[in-house]
């Protein structure tokens, strides 16, 4: 098989991969203990400018925004009951694993339903201890009524997606540098990777390999999940998975230099720097095209029915590793800063130089900022006004 051969060629160059096609279970987030080992953000969305307050675990539990349902699956949702008055934000959830996962990990995300709807912007992604120096991997992400998942890496300058690489997804931007905004994106081409299609197909599974040989993301809708993976409890063999949806081989992005150990993050915001961009929001969802059109049209007033599909239903998130040492504590993660932390092989300046996003910034942040600048001063000013208004509310 041509695909397999070219992957083998790539991997052969990597001592790390030569060791393992089988990975053993390191951590399973599932069932009644799903929410153990995560930290709830407990602050408003100050990283992507979304119109949500990320609540504490106590509030999320009390409001039933984060819980394990009768089927044993984790539900993470936006408040779809409260009548939110202008100009307040709606309650939602953002959680981050306490532990970090090193090179040699496979992260398997199995969901039945992803949040969707106008203004809705969910993501399952990872980030290093020191964002953005230690990189970001966006595994599941989309906005509004989008039907296909978008994957991406964000890094310091010097990491790019190889053109012509063996992957089934459609490559977008090839430069992963954060200052370039969107990062290096790949759009899923298999059907049912997002939105209503994903839900009606019974969901699906993403597996991400974080390795010194590269970062590789596979996706299968429910009926196509390999039996070896569905039944994997203690170990997983990746050798039969075929070409990934997105491949970022080390030949054009030295993963160990650009990515520190990663922690897993689940975010569910509304509008903000990606879903709220009028040119993206309005065609799908209407409104008057104003900078705060997404907020006014979708977020305030009654939550139902607009947010009735704004929830994750997650069966499990499993981490497999070459050995159990891939799971490390925050203190080990901070000590494991990659060499790239000193600035960038290509001499890139700090992506945070734009002042737009902080250490906990998330996917899409810079993309949207760049897009705002492209759209010109008027929109930036309007956007700033909305932000100022939103921040003012917190005082
Ligand atoms: C991986 O696991 C499979 C199934 O358990 C086994 O058949 C195969 O020999 C293993 N491969 C390696 C390289 O250990
Ligand atoms: C949220 O938590 C605060 C205290 O932290 C409490 O006063 C408030 O009643 C809680 N709200 C809900 C809806 O549980
Ligand atoms: C809110 O969303 C849930 C699904 O998460 C749904 O069961 C419920 O009917 C929705 N509406 C209201 C008003 O609770
Ligand atoms: C775990 O695997 C890594 C990478 O192959 C290796 O460097 C390390 O020594 C292993 N640790 C243990 C405890 O086996
Ligand atoms: C980031 O990539 C873009 C091209 O995609 C380039 O214009 C820009 O100079 C790069 N930034 C750095 C710091 O290399
Ligand atoms: C967001 O708020 C948190 C909590 O106060 C803070 O630690 C973090 O630095 C803030 N991030 C940005 C980008 O302002």
């Amino acid at each position: 098989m041509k695909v397999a051969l070219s992957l083998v060629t790539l991997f052969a160059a990597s001592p790390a991969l030569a060791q393992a096609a089988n990975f053993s279970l390191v951590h399973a987030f599932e069932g009644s203990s799903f929410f153990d080992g995560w930290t709830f953000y407990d602050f408003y969305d100050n990283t992507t400018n979304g119109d949500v307050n990320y609540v504490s675990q106590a509030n999320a539990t009390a409001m039933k925004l984060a819980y394990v349902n009768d089927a044993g699956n984790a539900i993470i949702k936006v408040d779809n009951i409260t009548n939110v008055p202008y100009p307040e934000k709606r309650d939602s959830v953002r959680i981050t694993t306490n532990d970090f996962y090193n090179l040699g990990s496979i992260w398997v995300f199995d969901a039945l339903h992803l949040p969707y709807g106008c203004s809705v912007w969910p993501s399952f992604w990872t980030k290093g201890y020191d964002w953005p120096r230690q990189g970001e991997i966006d595994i599941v992400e989309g906005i509004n009524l989008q039907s296909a998942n978008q994957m991406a890496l964000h890094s310091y300058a010097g990491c790019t997606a190889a053109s012509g690489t063996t992957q089934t997804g459609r490559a977008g931007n090839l430069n992963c540098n954060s200052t370039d905004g969107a990062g290096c994106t790949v759009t899923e081409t298999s059907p049912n990777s997002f939105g209503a299609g994903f839900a009606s197909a019974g969901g699906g599974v993403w597996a991400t390999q974080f390795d010194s040989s590269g970062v590789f993301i596979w996706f299968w809708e429910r009926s196509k999940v390999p039996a070896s993976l569905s039944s994997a409890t203690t170990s997983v063999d990746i050798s039969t998975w075929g070409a990934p949806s997105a491949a970022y081989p080390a030949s054009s992005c030295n993963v160990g230099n650009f990515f520190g150990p990663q922690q897993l993050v689940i975010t569910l915001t509304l509008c903000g720097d990606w879903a709220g961009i009028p040119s993206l929001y309005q065609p799908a969802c209407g409104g008057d095209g104003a900078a705060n059109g997404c907020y006014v049209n979708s977020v305030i007033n009654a939550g139902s029915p607009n947010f009735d599909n704004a929830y994750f239903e997650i069966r499990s998130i499993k981490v497999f590793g070459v050995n159990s040492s891939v799971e490390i504590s925050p203190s080990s993660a901070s000590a494991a800063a990659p060499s790239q932390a000193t600035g960038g092989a290509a001499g890139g300046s700090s992506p945070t130089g734009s002042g737009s996003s902080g250490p906990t910034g998330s996917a899409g942040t810079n993309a949207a900022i760049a897009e705002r600048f492209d759209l010109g001063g008027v929109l930036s000013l309007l956007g700033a006004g909305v932000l100022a208004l939103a921040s003012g509310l917190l005082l």
Side-chain angles (χ1 to χ4, degrees), residues 41-48 131 355-361:
Y41 198 65
D42 195 17
F43 205 67
Y44 75 102
D45 177 2
N46 61 350
T47 59
T48 57
W131 186 95
S356 57
S357 47
T360 51

PDB file of all heavy atoms in Angstrom, residues 41-48 131 355-361, ligand 6:
ATOM      1  N   TYR A  41     -12.062  26.419  34.343  1.00  0.00           N
ATOM      2  CA  TYR A  41     -11.418  27.728  34.148  1.00  0.00           C
ATOM      3  C   TYR A  41     -11.911  28.780  35.146  1.00  0.00           C
ATOM      4  O   TYR A  41     -11.139  29.573  35.651  1.00  0.00           O
ATOM      5  CB  TYR A  41     -11.677  28.179  32.710  1.00  0.00           C
ATOM      6  CG  TYR A  41     -10.761  29.258  32.187  1.00  0.00           C
ATOM      7  CD1 TYR A  41      -9.406  29.020  32.019  1.00  0.00           C
ATOM      8  CD2 TYR A  41     -11.268  30.513  31.838  1.00  0.00           C
ATOM      9  CE1 TYR A  41      -8.572  30.001  31.513  1.00  0.00           C
ATOM     10  CE2 TYR A  41     -10.446  31.499  31.326  1.00  0.00           C
ATOM     11  CZ  TYR A  41      -9.093  31.246  31.171  1.00  0.00           C
ATOM     12  OH  TYR A  41      -8.286  32.218  30.659  1.00  0.00           O
ATOM     13  N   ASP A  42     -13.221  28.848  35.387  1.00  0.00           N
ATOM     14  CA  ASP A  42     -13.803  29.752  36.388  1.00  0.00           C
ATOM     15  C   ASP A  42     -13.455  31.227  36.147  1.00  0.00           C
ATOM     16  O   ASP A  42     -13.050  31.945  37.064  1.00  0.00           O
ATOM     17  CB  ASP A  42     -13.358  29.316  37.799  1.00  0.00           C
ATOM     18  CG  ASP A  42     -14.204  29.965  38.891  1.00  0.00           C
ATOM     19  OD1 ASP A  42     -15.301  30.471  38.568  1.00  0.00           O
ATOM     20  OD2 ASP A  42     -13.758  29.977  40.053  1.00  0.00           O
ATOM     21  N   PHE A  43     -13.603  31.666  34.916  1.00  0.00           N
ATOM     22  CA  PHE A  43     -13.363  33.072  34.572  1.00  0.00           C
ATOM     23  C   PHE A  43     -14.061  33.304  33.246  1.00  0.00           C
ATOM     24  O   PHE A  43     -14.385  32.355  32.541  1.00  0.00           O
ATOM     25  CB  PHE A  43     -11.850  33.322  34.429  1.00  0.00           C
ATOM     26  CG  PHE A  43     -11.456  34.757  34.660  1.00  0.00           C
ATOM     27  CD1 PHE A  43     -11.585  35.336  35.913  1.00  0.00           C
ATOM     28  CD2 PHE A  43     -10.957  35.528  33.614  1.00  0.00           C
ATOM     29  CE1 PHE A  43     -11.215  36.659  36.125  1.00  0.00           C
ATOM     30  CE2 PHE A  43     -10.583  36.857  33.827  1.00  0.00           C
ATOM     31  CZ  PHE A  43     -10.715  37.414  35.078  1.00  0.00           C
ATOM     32  N   TYR A  44     -14.298  34.556  32.910  1.00  0.00           N
ATOM     33  CA  TYR A  44     -14.930  34.778  31.606  1.00  0.00           C
ATOM     34  C   TYR A  44     -13.940  34.435  30.489  1.00  0.00           C
ATOM     35  O   TYR A  44     -12.747  34.269  30.735  1.00  0.00           O
ATOM     36  CB  TYR A  44     -15.462  36.207  31.495  1.00  0.00           C
ATOM     37  CG  TYR A  44     -14.405  37.281  31.272  1.00  0.00           C
ATOM     38  CD1 TYR A  44     -14.186  37.839  30.017  1.00  0.00           C
ATOM     39  CD2 TYR A  44     -13.625  37.746  32.336  1.00  0.00           C
ATOM     40  CE1 TYR A  44     -13.219  38.822  29.816  1.00  0.00           C
ATOM     41  CE2 TYR A  44     -12.665  38.723  32.140  1.00  0.00           C
ATOM     42  CZ  TYR A  44     -12.470  39.256  30.880  1.00  0.00           C
ATOM     43  OH  TYR A  44     -11.512  40.216  30.687  1.00  0.00           O
ATOM     44  N   ASP A  45     -14.422  34.306  29.266  1.00  0.00           N
ATOM     45  CA  ASP A  45     -13.548  33.947  28.138  1.00  0.00           C
ATOM     46  C   ASP A  45     -12.684  35.145  27.780  1.00  0.00           C
ATOM     47  O   ASP A  45     -13.081  36.006  26.989  1.00  0.00           O
ATOM     48  CB  ASP A  45     -14.392  33.492  26.933  1.00  0.00           C
ATOM     49  CG  ASP A  45     -13.524  33.185  25.708  1.00  0.00           C
ATOM     50  OD1 ASP A  45     -12.284  33.296  25.810  1.00  0.00           O
ATOM     51  OD2 ASP A  45     -14.097  32.858  24.660  1.00  0.00           O
ATOM     52  N   ASN A  46     -11.502  35.195  28.397  1.00  0.00           N
ATOM     53  CA  ASN A  46     -10.580  36.304  28.136  1.00  0.00           C
ATOM     54  C   ASN A  46      -9.500  35.895  27.139  1.00  0.00           C
ATOM     55  O   ASN A  46      -8.508  36.587  26.988  1.00  0.00           O
ATOM     56  CB  ASN A  46      -9.952  36.800  29.445  1.00  0.00           C
ATOM     57  CG  ASN A  46      -9.136  35.721  30.148  1.00  0.00           C
ATOM     58  OD1 ASN A  46      -9.186  34.560  29.771  1.00  0.00           O
ATOM     59  ND2 ASN A  46      -8.375  36.125  31.158  1.00  0.00           N
ATOM     60  N   THR A  47      -9.670  34.742  26.480  1.00  0.00           N
ATOM     61  CA  THR A  47      -8.648  34.331  25.512  1.00  0.00           C
ATOM     62  C   THR A  47      -9.148  34.377  24.081  1.00  0.00           C
ATOM     63  O   THR A  47      -8.346  34.558  23.162  1.00  0.00           O
ATOM     64  CB  THR A  47      -8.135  32.911  25.811  1.00  0.00           C
ATOM     65  OG1 THR A  47      -9.237  32.016  25.769  1.00  0.00           O
ATOM     66  CG2 THR A  47      -7.471  32.840  27.173  1.00  0.00           C
ATOM     67  N   THR A  48     -10.432  34.179  23.865  1.00  0.00           N
ATOM     68  CA  THR A  48     -10.938  34.240  22.480  1.00  0.00           C
ATOM     69  C   THR A  48     -12.095  35.229  22.361  1.00  0.00           C
ATOM     70  O   THR A  48     -12.778  35.257  21.333  1.00  0.00           O
ATOM     71  CB  THR A  48     -11.374  32.849  21.972  1.00  0.00           C
ATOM     72  OG1 THR A  48     -12.359  32.313  22.846  1.00  0.00           O
ATOM     73  CG2 THR A  48     -10.189  31.891  21.908  1.00  0.00           C
ATOM     74  N   TRP A 131       2.108  28.758  26.812  1.00  0.00           N
ATOM     75  CA  TRP A 131       1.506  29.027  25.505  1.00  0.00           C
ATOM     76  C   TRP A 131       1.893  30.419  25.064  1.00  0.00           C
ATOM     77  O   TRP A 131       1.847  31.316  25.900  1.00  0.00           O
ATOM     78  CB  TRP A 131      -0.030  28.920  25.616  1.00  0.00           C
ATOM     79  CG  TRP A 131      -0.713  29.040  24.297  1.00  0.00           C
ATOM     80  CD1 TRP A 131      -1.109  28.034  23.477  1.00  0.00           C
ATOM     81  CD2 TRP A 131      -1.079  30.259  23.629  1.00  0.00           C
ATOM     82  NE1 TRP A 131      -1.689  28.536  22.340  1.00  0.00           N
ATOM     83  CE2 TRP A 131      -1.676  29.897  22.398  1.00  0.00           C
ATOM     84  CE3 TRP A 131      -0.950  31.624  23.928  1.00  0.00           C
ATOM     85  CZ2 TRP A 131      -2.159  30.856  21.481  1.00  0.00           C
ATOM     86  CZ3 TRP A 131      -1.413  32.564  23.017  1.00  0.00           C
ATOM     87  CH2 TRP A 131      -2.010  32.180  21.815  1.00  0.00           C
ATOM     88  N   GLY A 355      -0.381  41.536  21.330  1.00  0.00           N
ATOM     89  CA  GLY A 355      -1.162  41.944  22.488  1.00  0.00           C
ATOM     90  C   GLY A 355      -2.558  41.352  22.488  1.00  0.00           C
ATOM     91  O   GLY A 355      -3.407  41.741  23.272  1.00  0.00           O
ATOM     92  N   SER A 356      -2.783  40.410  21.617  1.00  0.00           N
ATOM     93  CA  SER A 356      -4.154  39.958  21.448  1.00  0.00           C
ATOM     94  C   SER A 356      -4.523  38.759  22.306  1.00  0.00           C
ATOM     95  O   SER A 356      -5.673  38.539  22.589  1.00  0.00           O
ATOM     96  CB  SER A 356      -4.371  39.596  19.987  1.00  0.00           C
ATOM     97  OG  SER A 356      -3.424  38.615  19.614  1.00  0.00           O
ATOM     98  N   SER A 357      -3.535  37.995  22.698  1.00  0.00           N
ATOM     99  CA  SER A 357      -3.908  36.809  23.447  1.00  0.00           C
ATOM    100  C   SER A 357      -2.821  36.451  24.434  1.00  0.00           C
ATOM    101  O   SER A 357      -1.656  36.726  24.215  1.00  0.00           O
ATOM    102  CB  SER A 357      -4.156  35.640  22.502  1.00  0.00           C
ATOM    103  OG  SER A 357      -3.122  35.558  21.574  1.00  0.00           O
ATOM    104  N   GLY A 358      -3.214  35.874  25.506  1.00  0.00           N
ATOM    105  CA  GLY A 358      -2.279  35.598  26.576  1.00  0.00           C
ATOM    106  C   GLY A 358      -1.794  34.164  26.570  1.00  0.00           C
ATOM    107  O   GLY A 358      -2.010  33.449  25.611  1.00  0.00           O
ATOM    108  N   PRO A 359      -1.194  33.788  27.656  1.00  0.00           N
ATOM    109  CA  PRO A 359      -0.598  32.470  27.743  1.00  0.00           C
ATOM    110  C   PRO A 359      -1.615  31.334  27.621  1.00  0.00           C
ATOM    111  O   PRO A 359      -1.261  30.238  27.268  1.00  0.00           O
ATOM    112  CB  PRO A 359       0.051  32.459  29.129  1.00  0.00           C
ATOM    113  CG  PRO A 359      -0.403  33.674  29.828  1.00  0.00           C
ATOM    114  CD  PRO A 359      -0.931  34.613  28.834  1.00  0.00           C
ATOM    115  N   THR A 360      -2.845  31.631  27.906  1.00  0.00           N
ATOM    116  CA  THR A 360      -3.829  30.566  27.809  1.00  0.00           C
ATOM    117  C   THR A 360      -4.644  30.691  26.542  1.00  0.00           C
ATOM    118  O   THR A 360      -5.704  30.148  26.412  1.00  0.00           O
ATOM    119  CB  THR A 360      -4.769  30.570  29.016  1.00  0.00           C
ATOM    120  OG1 THR A 360      -5.270  31.895  29.164  1.00  0.00           O
ATOM    121  CG2 THR A 360      -4.058  30.137  30.254  1.00  0.00           C
ATOM    122  N   GLY A 361      -4.152  31.442  25.590  1.00  0.00           N
ATOM    123  CA  GLY A 361      -4.883  31.671  24.348  1.00  0.00           C
ATOM    124  C   GLY A 361      -5.249  30.367  23.673  1.00  0.00           C
ATOM    125  O   GLY A 361      -4.583  29.368  23.829  1.00  0.00           O
TER     126      GLY A 361
HETATM  127  C1  LIG B   6      -7.435  35.441  31.854  1.00  0.00           C
HETATM  128  O1  LIG B   6      -7.816  35.423  33.193  1.00  0.00           O
HETATM  129  C2  LIG B   6      -7.051  34.537  33.983  1.00  0.00           C
HETATM  130  C3  LIG B   6      -7.689  34.480  35.353  1.00  0.00           C
HETATM  131  O2  LIG B   6      -7.689  35.747  35.949  1.00  0.00           O
HETATM  132  C4  LIG B   6      -5.612  35.027  34.017  1.00  0.00           C
HETATM  133  O3  LIG B   6      -4.834  34.146  34.787  1.00  0.00           O
HETATM  134  C5  LIG B   6      -5.083  35.097  32.606  1.00  0.00           C
HETATM  135  O4  LIG B   6      -3.809  35.652  32.591  1.00  0.00           O
HETATM  136  C6  LIG B   6      -6.012  35.921  31.741  1.00  0.00           C
HETATM  137  N1  LIG B   6      -5.588  35.817  30.367  1.00  0.00           N
HETATM  138  C7  LIG B   6      -5.583  36.861  29.564  1.00  0.00           C
HETATM  139  C8  LIG B   6      -5.187  36.611  28.179  1.00  0.00           C
HETATM  140  O5  LIG B   6      -5.896  37.979  29.940  1.00  0.00           O
END
